[in-house]
Amino acid sequence: MTGSLRRLALPALLMTVLAGCGLVGPDTYELDEKHIQVDEGEEFTLSVPVATAMGEWWYLTSPEPDPDVVRKNGKREDIEADEDVDGSGSGTDFFDFKAVGPGTTTIRLIQCPHGACVGGGDAGGPITPSPVPGGSPTPDKKYRATIHTYTVTVRKP
């Protein structure tokens, strides 16, 4: 085996071994990847940037994905903040899912700048964009809630 072939084979072998040990995580899809194809039984993650210092939050919103196709496994955050400044920070929200059956469904995430959403929490119900009072000017786009829709197709392996 030549030296260059060995250098290529070692990383491939290492990835195969690590995948078998569960050390390689689920596939992660970024904000611009709206059409996702996964195999039944596979776990995957939606990754979105969040500016918590600006009061921005992300939520799963209605209608929720078909539970016969995709199941929500949870939400995680990775926020980096300046320890010397209260309320600072930005980072990434991770929405974890598992493909449980063949089919196609949608996952809707709502991006909520400060004060742009209502619902959830103690009020219960889905998180939705806040209504604009009649006669009020429509806020600039950066201050309005935005719904991001992902289409997920689950295939039989």
Side-chain angles (χ1 to χ4, degrees), residues 131-139:
V132 175
S136 297
T138 301

Side-chain angles (χ1 to χ4, degrees), residues 2-14:
T2 66
S4 61
L5 187 55
R6 267 183 272 182
R7 281 193 303 267
L8 293 174
L10 182 59
L13 178 62
L14 185 57

Side-chain angles (χ1 to χ4, degrees), residues 6-89:
R6 267 183 272 182
R7 281 193 303 267
L8 293 174
L10 182 59
L13 178 62
L14 185 57
M15 287 303 292
T16 301
V17 169
L18 291 176
C21 294
L23 296 177
V24 176
D27 288 338
T28 300
Y29 298 91
E30 306 293 331
L31 188 57
D32 61 339
E33 299 175 274
K34 303 291 182 158
H35 298 280
I36 299 168
Q37 292 188 5
V38 293
D39 290 332
E40 183 178 4
E42 187 176 339
E43 294 182 344
F44 64 97
T45 298
L46 302 180
S47 168
V48 294
V50 63
T52 55
M54 301 303 293
E56 177 182 78
W57 299 100
W58 287 78
Y59 304 94
L60 180 66
T61 192
S62 62
E64 292 199 9
D66 181 344
D68 293 331
V69 179
V70 169
R71 181 183 70 225
K72 181 181 176 192
N73 282 349
K75 178 183 175 187
R76 300 173 285 121
E77 295 178 336
D78 181 16
I79 305 297
E80 300 206 7
D82 183 344
E83 293 178 12
D84 298 329
V85 180
D86 286 339
S88 71

